[in-house]
Amino acid sequence: MKKTLLTLMCLSATLPGVAQNKVDNRLGDSAEVLRQMIAKPDSVPKRYLDRAACVLVYPSVKKVGIGLGVTYGRGVLVCRTGTNMDGKWGAPAMYNLDVGSLGVQLGGSSTDYVLLVESKEGADKVLSGKLKLGADATAVAGPTGAKAVGANDVNADILTYSRAKGGLFAGASLASASMDADNDANKKLYGKDVSVLGIVRDGAVTTPASGEALVGILDKASPARKH
């Protein structure tokens, strides 16, 4: 009995640390995905990254279940600071992604996603609560490479970019996906209950050490806009 009690006590002491490691790992994985995808000339164009008010990164999204299973991912949202959301990049917020039946298209692959929220109005929609793409906000596959150079400005709230493991761009649409804040992960990251609006708009927290690499990549790749 004493041995069982001791085991339970040890587990309860280690679980918070395990959960924290998962959140820190998510930030590290997101930083690496973003670094690789903005470095490739046929991936996320600087032109659209510079216009973005927010960026969402979902590393290693996998299909859950068999056959008509759903595709579910956990990622990170980073937005620019300032009234017009054109300043430097702020503290990260944890986000969930539910892609519904998109798993049928992707099969058993693991796919990385980068989403560019192209305006303050689009950011308002993302931050308003659970959001369904195609219904609450418009999302289209973002142009890449030569297409991006010659493309007219895309009239959409969100541009989506995806990459299957092995470097292959999947080209999958996220038109039916829904996104919302991962409040449990945000609490673990910041050590207190804090809303996404508190993180992004109110400056209620500062970037933790585990999020500095991700924010640093964005600050270097796309600094605050000059007025």
Side-chain angles (χ1 to χ4, degrees), residues 26 58-64 69-74 95-100 103 178 180-182:
R26 192 197 305 187
Y58 291 102
S60 300
V61 176
K62 299 180 179 70
K63 187 170 74 170
V64 180
V70 298
T71 302
Y72 186 80
R74 293 181 174 87
Y95 255 69
N96 293 323
L97 176 73
D98 182 352
V99 191
S178 61
D180 62 351
D182 188 344

Side-chain angles (χ1 to χ4, degrees), residues 60-146:
S60 300
V61 176
K62 299 180 179 70
K63 187 170 74 170
V64 180
I66 302 173
L68 296 178
V70 298
T71 302
Y72 186 80
R74 293 181 174 87
V76 185
L77 169 76
V78 184
C79 294
R80 293 185 188 272
T81 56
T83 304
N84 296 319
M85 301 189 79
D86 56 2
K88 65 180 183 178
W89 298 91
M94 303 292 102
Y95 255 69
N96 293 323
L97 176 73
D98 182 352
V99 191
S101 61
L102 184 61
V104 176
Q105 296 180 41
L106 296 178
S109 66
S110 174
T111 305
D112 302 320
Y113 289 97
V114 172
L115 281 62
L116 306 183
V117 185
E118 288 293 275
S119 65
K120 181 178 180 296
E121 292 73 20
D124 290 339
K125 296 175 183 179
V126 172
L127 297 171
S128 64
K130 188 167 185 175
L131 172 142
K132 187 174 180 63
L133 299 181
D136 304 315
T138 56
V140 299
T144 59

